[in-house]
């Protein structure tokens, strides 16, 4: 009767974004919200991957997923930007350079 059930994820290694990584992501997120492109986000920390999902509206599927997969650190790079359809827009070792693919959406022609 006194057996304890551990909280899911407790005691196992879970991949999560570091504070400096979140600062970079949230900086871009704030600029996109100010531009009216994005409105909501969600963060998931799983065993193999940490995901920052970006939504145009709360009830929709995520427009983009920013993923961190440490197992790919020595290969293609641990960071990736993935579209709603599952297409990888950019993958690399440096988060700032990977997120540049999304910053291009902020650049608009002024007439």
């Amino acid at each position: 009767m006194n057996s304890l059930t551990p909280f899911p994820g407790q005691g196992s290694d879970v991949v999560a974004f570091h504070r400096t990584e979140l600062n970079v992501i949230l900086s871009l997120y704030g600029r996109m919200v100010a531009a009216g492109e994005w409105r909501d986000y969600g963060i998931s920390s799983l065993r193999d991957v940490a995901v920052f999902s970006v939504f145009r509206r709360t009830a929709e599927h995520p427009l983009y997923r920013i993923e961190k997969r440490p197992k790919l650190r020595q290969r293609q790079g641990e960071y990736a930007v993935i579209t709603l359809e599952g297409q990888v827009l950019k993958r690399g070792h440096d988060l700032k350079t990977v997120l540049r693919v999304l910053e291009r959406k902020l650049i608009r022609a002024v007439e």
Side-chain angles (χ1 to χ4, degrees):
M1 291 306 238
N2 287 344
S3 64
L4 297 175
T5 304
F7 189 73
Q10 188 177 19
S12 64
D13 293 331
V14 175
V15 177
F17 288 105
H18 190 268
R19 181 179 298 190
T20 56
E21 296 166 334
L22 278 177
N23 284 340
V24 172
I25 295 170
L26 289 174
S27 173
L28 172 65
Y29 176 78
R31 287 179 286 165
M32 294 300 265
V33 167
E37 295 289 324
W38 297 348
R39 294 220 167 84
D40 200 7
Y41 71 91
I43 300 175
S44 300
S45 295
L46 306 171
R47 183 172 294 164
D48 298 341
V49 62
V51 181
F52 187 95
S53 302
V54 177
F55 300 88
R56 185 177 309 250
R57 291 180 189 82
T58 305
E60 289 185 350
H61 296 287
L63 288 174
Y64 300 104
R65 293 187 330 255
I66 301 165
E67 293 187 355
K68 175 183 177 182
R69 292 183 184 268
K71 287 186 178 180
L72 297 178
R73 184 180 302 139
Q74 300 299 324
R75 296 183 184 142
Q76 306 106 311
E78 65 181 321
Y79 302 108
V81 175
I82 302 171
T83 64
L84 174 64
E85 295 83 21
Q87 179 185 12
V88 177
L89 292 180
K90 182 86 171 168
R91 184 181 298 273
H93 299 283
D94 183 39
L95 182 60
K96 288 182 181 180
T97 58
V98 170
L99 293 179
R100 282 189 197 146
V101 73
L102 297 176
E103 289 180 357
R104 291 183 196 154
K105 305 229 181 251
L106 285 173
I107 301 171
R108 296 181 183 166
V110 178
E111 296 179 14

